Amino acid sequence: AQKITQTQPGMFVQEKEAVTLDCTYDTSDPSYGLFWYKQPSSGEMIFLIYQGSYDQQNATEGRYSLNFQKARKSANLVISASQLGDSAMYFCAMREGGNQFYFGTGTSLTVIP
Amino acid sequence: EPEVTQTPSHQVTQMGQEVILRCVPISNHLYFYWYRQILGQKVEFLVSFYNNEISEKSEIFDDQFSVERPDGSNFTLKIRSTKLEDSAMYFCASSLQVLRTSGGTQQFFGPGTRLTVL
């Protein structure tokens, strides 16, 4: 089974609108961390937001928030007030108790002016 | 702000040649990682390194690959005899620590080295 599943290969959003990028994960480890990274066309990986499995509240970082639903094993990224510069690939990732990160296949987000 | 650096940004090599990809992790970080991303595909874990030894590796990281921390700052990935399918973007990353109770702290990625095997 895939550790991280991102079911949306491509998404479009109007500038200034909010968008939700889906991510589900699979683990039996009670201790894990969930991450979202942005990869613009230039190729670098930019950390956006982190949610620990024991965190009681959803993580937020500026315009990014993580909708963490532990029972459903989902960790959706919400981007509010989309900007043209948000157009990029977005990867959901998980780290269990060890040192290995598992990445999803990514969602390509296009912000339309 | 401290950052992970990687050199070269682009490496072109002939099939069968050895390549060494270099990384300078953030100076106070203790855990180091290599990932690869074949064009258009997801990021794949290769290996993690701590206390001068490999702590985890994936099935991709076979005998053709090796890692080394030759001094206090560099972290290298060596591919002994490159194959066409080794063409990919290779990312180095580092993290300060591993906290089992929280699932871990974030990794900081370098800008990547694009390896092209001809």
Side-chain angles (χ1 to χ4, degrees):
Chain A
Q2 293 291 325
K3 288 284 187 180
I4 294 287
T5 302
Q6 293 180 255
T7 57
Q8 306 155 312
M11 290 282 285
F12 291 86
V13 64
Q14 204 75 38
E15 193 178 7
K16 298 179 185 175
E17 297 291 312
V19 63
T20 298
L21 307 184
D22 294 342
C23 172
T24 57
Y25 58 92
D26 181 35
T27 181
S28 56
D29 195 327
S31 173
Y32 53 91
L34 297 157
F35 304 77
W36 277 92
Y37 287 87
K38 173 183 177 181
Q39 187 178 43
S41 57
S42 51
E44 73 267 33
M45 296 286 284
I46 303 168
F47 166 78
L48 296 178
I49 196 166
Y50 163 76
Q51 179 87 42
S53 59
Y54 295 114
D55 293 343
Q56 295 295 313
Q57 294 189 327
N58 287 344
T60 59
E61 288 284 347
R63 294 187 298 112
Y64 304 108
S65 60
L66 201 151
N67 184 1
F68 181 45
Q69 297 187 46
K70 197 169 182 177
R72 296 179 61 185
K73 292 188 175 178
S74 76
N76 298 339
L77 176 71
V78 180
I79 305 174
S80 62
S82 298
Q83 301 171 356
L84 295 178
D86 293 335
S87 293
M89 282 291 289
Y90 288 81
F91 290 96
C92 179
M94 175 178 69
R95 200 180 71 73
E96 296 171 316
N99 289 324
Q100 181 166 169
F101 267 52
Y102 301 93
F103 282 79
T105 51
T107 295
S108 175
L109 177 67
T110 302
V111 181
I112 303 166
Chain B
E1 188 173 321
E3 59 183 16
V4 178
T5 59
Q6 290 185 244
T7 54
S9 57
H10 192 187
Q11 174 93 44
V12 181
T13 189
Q14 294 288 328
M15 191 170 59
Q17 295 295 306
E18 174 184 286
V19 294
I20 297 176
L21 309 183
R22 291 183 167 78
C23 168
V24 179
I26 294 174
S27 60
N28 63 335
H29 283 189
L30 302 175
Y31 294 82
F32 315 114
Y33 313 81
W34 282 101
Y35 294 84
R36 79 172 184 191
Q37 184 182 29
I38 295 170
L39 187 64
Q41 298 186 23
K42 69 178 178 181
V43 177
E44 300 172 293
F45 169 81
L46 293 178
V47 66
S48 63
F49 192 86
Y50 170 70
N51 200 25
N52 281 321
E53 60 183 24
I54 292 173
S55 53
E56 279 185 67
K57 60 182 181 178
S58 71
E59 60 276 6
I60 302 169
F61 194 87
D62 60 22
D63 292 343
Q64 292 297 314
F65 292 90
S66 63
V67 290
E68 197 176 36
R69 189 155 163 81
D71 52 43
S73 59
N74 290 284
F75 179 52
T76 62
L77 174 70
K78 182 193 289 185
I79 309 175
R80 287 191 184 83
S81 178
T82 50
K83 303 187 283 286
L84 294 176
E85 54 265 37
D86 292 328
S87 294
M89 180 76 93
Y90 288 80
F91 290 102
C92 172
S94 70
S95 64
L96 180 58
Q97 59 189 328
V98 172
L99 300 173
R100 185 172 178 85
T101 55
S102 71
T105 188
Q106 74 169 90
Q107 293 180 333
F108 293 82
F109 281 77
T113 292
R114 182 166 297 285
L115 176 65
T116 302
V117 182
L118 302 175

